[in-house]
């Protein structure tokens, strides 16, 4: 088997939201992970402004590529393949990454791999814990998605078992943080505050967890009602002139989210006879989610894999990790008409080309 030094050098580009991420990977070895975030530019709007994000990606692209190459002590000419997030995400933001990847592929004469952002959140774990056990169950929780997936082949076969029917888990964290007067993005602030609060102080609802929900929504989530319940609870306190116990609200809200996420993920492993659970996406950085998942997986005899927090939030290394795996498994590269698809379904792992438009009858 080839040593990491012999494995092809893959550059990954991530621009689906507000992070310009450039990663350099040889098979499962991480050489560089450079990220430029435009989050501070969006903070005063309380959410990501797509046009601002696209402009920031344009400005950050070349300096971030240079920073990654310097970190890895390689030249651009050493890169053997380029991988890029082709979707899902913000269209304008994705387009910047896809255009940059095509330019590199064309200029350097190397293969281009358009990949699915969600599959990359799964593949990134290989950089920390080695080869992915397949099949595994993946719980992906980010600002845009909350899904439970079964992954027989991370480069070609990912099947959704369930997803959020409304807000994503990270979106709920961000919205509740706003209610509590915390800065955007709110997840890390709630995580920090909750450590000083009582998670059992307020009994917030566990959505889609009733026996009747198990028929149509076995592995689905819903966080919109929970967010409203928190807002109402806080509003009632404020109207009555009572001080809001912010740490208790944060801890009780966080517990309601991670309780449902971990319960359904462990149930998915049990029901599908899969012994490995992987958690990825920005919310996987949450300390309580990590602790509860560890506890419940240990009790159920399931091996848990969660990448370190810096690899859970959006980054280029995850895209490079998936690109390297595609190269190693000899998957076909994308063609230069690779589209950016803002609503790319999770089951579309590699993105090859634009489907030809039907020719109108003459
Ligand atoms: O995966 P990601 O970086 O970007 C998307 O693809 O959305 O996830 C960002 C989300 C944000 O909603 C952020 O608040 C949340 O991840 N997040 C957290 C934590 N760190 C980031 N949520 C809860 N606890 C955290 N420690
Ligand atoms: Zn993400």
């Amino acid at each position: 088997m080839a040593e990491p030094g012999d494995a092809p050098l893959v550059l990954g580009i991530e621009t689906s939201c507000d992070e310009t991420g450039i990663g350099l990977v040889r098979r499962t070895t991480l050489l560089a992970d450079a990220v430029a975030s435009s989050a501070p530019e969006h903070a005063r709007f309380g959410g990501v402004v797509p046009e601002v994000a696209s402009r920031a990606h344009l400005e950050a692209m070349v300096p971030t590529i240079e920073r990654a190459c310097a970190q890895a002590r390689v030249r651009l000419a050493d890169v053997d393949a380029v991988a890029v997030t082709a979707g899902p995400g913000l269209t304008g933001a994705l387009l910047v990454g896809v255009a940059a990847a095509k330019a590199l592929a064309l200029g350097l004469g190397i293969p281009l791999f358009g990949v699915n952002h969600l599959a990359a959140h799964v593949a990134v774990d290989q950089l920390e814990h080695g080869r992915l056990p397949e099949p595994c169950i993946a719980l992906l929780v980010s600002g845009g998605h909350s899904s439970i997936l079964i992954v027989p082949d991370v480069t070609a076969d990912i099947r959704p078992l369930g997803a959020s029917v409304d807000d994503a888990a990270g979106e709920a964290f961000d919205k509740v943080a706003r209610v509590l007067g915390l800065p955007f993005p709110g997840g890390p602030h709630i995580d920090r505050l909750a450590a000083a609060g009582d998670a059992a102080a307020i009994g917030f609802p566990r959505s889609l967890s009733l026996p009747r929900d198990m028929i149509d929504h076995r592995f689905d989530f819903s966080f919109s009602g929970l967010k409203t319940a928190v807002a109402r609870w806080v509003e009632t306190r404020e109207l009555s002139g009572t001080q809001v116990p912010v740490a208790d609200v944060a801890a009780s809200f966080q517990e309601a989210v991670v309780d449902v996420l971990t319960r359904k993920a462990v149930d998915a492993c049990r029901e599908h006879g899969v012994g490995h659970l992987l958690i990825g996406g920005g919310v996987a950085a949450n300390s309580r989610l990590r602790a509860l998942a560890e506890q419940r997986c240990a009790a159920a005899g399931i091996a848990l894999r969660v990448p370190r927090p810096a690899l859970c939030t959006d980054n280029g290394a995850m895209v490079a990790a998936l690109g390297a795996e595609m190269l190693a498994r000899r998957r076909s590269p994308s063609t230069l008409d690779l589209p950016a698809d803002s609503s790319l379904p999770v089951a579309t792992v590699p993105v090859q080309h634009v489907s030809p438009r039907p020719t109108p009858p003459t």
Side-chain angles (χ1 to χ4, degrees):
M1 195 173 142
E3 291 299 310
D6 300 323
L9 178 64
V10 180
L11 182 140
I13 302 181
E14 158 59 35
T15 62
S16 67
C17 193
D18 57 345
E19 261 100 29
T20 311
I22 304 294
L24 281 161
V25 159
R26 286 192 196 273
R27 194 66 205 267
T28 60
T29 304
L30 175 63
L31 304 179
D33 180 20
V35 176
S37 175
S38 62
E41 293 178 51
H42 308 288
R44 70 192 167 103
F45 301 104
V48 176
V49 183
E51 291 305 322
V52 173
S54 309
R55 171 64 57 182
H57 286 309
L58 265 180
E59 287 168 2
M61 184 57 66
V62 172
T64 313
I65 292 176
E66 287 172 349
R67 192 149 53 86
C69 287
Q71 242 180 53
R73 297 172 193 272
V74 298
R75 294 166 309 140
L76 212 43
D78 299 330
V79 175
D80 297 300
V82 58
V84 62
T85 298
L90 303 169
T91 303
L94 288 167
L95 278 170
V96 177
V98 169
K102 287 178 183 176
L104 286 175
L106 199 59
L108 297 169
I110 55 176
L112 166 73
F113 290 91
V115 303
N116 190 307
H117 180 82
L118 302 178
H121 269 305
V122 177
V124 73
D125 187 62
Q126 296 212 129
L127 302 179
E128 190 160 5
H129 298 119
R131 298 294 294 277
L132 202 68
E134 289 167 329
C136 63
I137 295 285
L139 169 67
L140 282 194
V141 274
S142 71
H145 299 272
S146 310
S147 314
I148 296 185
L149 315 165
I150 184 161
V151 185
D153 179 341
V154 71
T155 65
D157 186 7
I158 297 188
R159 301 172 203 170
L161 299 178
S164 176
V165 297
D166 42 51
D167 292 351
E171 197 179 347
F173 269 95
D174 296 338
K175 287 178 175 170
V176 164
R178 198 171 182 179
V179 167
L180 297 177
L182 302 169
F184 174 84
H189 298 283
I190 292 198
D191 193 351
R192 192 175 31 78
L193 261 178
D198 175 5
I202 310 152
F204 287 128
R206 270 53 172 171
S207 316
L208 296 185
S209 296
L210 297 173
R212 67 161 187 266
D213 299 320
M214 296 303 116
I215 301 162
D216 291 333
H217 295 292
R218 180 74 189 94
F219 297 120
D220 288 336
F221 305 111
S222 165
F223 297 112
S224 166
L226 170 62
K227 168 202 69 191
T228 308
V230 176
R232 291 254 160 80
W233 196 93
V234 170
E235 196 181 57
T236 308
R237 279 284 176 128
E238 283 171 345
L239 288 175
S240 67
T242 332
Q243 204 185 6
V244 176
V246 178
D248 286 349
V249 175
S252 301
F253 157 75
Q254 178 176 271
E255 196 66 18
V257 175
V258 306
D259 180 20
V260 178
L261 291 177
T262 53
R263 191 186 309 273
K264 292 204 176 196
V266 168
D267 285 352
C269 289
R270 279 211 196 98
E271 282 184 26
H272 289 267
V274 173
H276 296 267
L277 172 65
L278 183 143
I279 309 187
V283 181
N286 184 270
S287 57
R288 179 61 186 147
L289 174 61
R290 298 168 85 94
L292 191 59
E294 222 162 83
Q295 195 183 313
R296 289 185 170 169
C297 282
I302 294 164
L304 176 67
R305 292 166 67 117
V306 196
R308 60 180 177 269
L311 293 180
C312 287
T313 47
D314 289 351
N315 62 77
M318 65 192 218
V319 181
L322 182 51
E325 199 53 40
M326 289 195 159
L327 203 60
R329 295 192 198 180
R330 300 180 190 281
R331 302 282 172 231
S332 317
S334 310
T335 49
L336 282 174
D337 57 358
L338 170 74
D341 184 347
S342 63
S343 52
L344 189 68
V346 63
T348 314
V349 185
V351 186
Q352 251 104 36
H353 51 75
V354 187
S355 350
R357 285 173 203 280
T359 333
T362 46

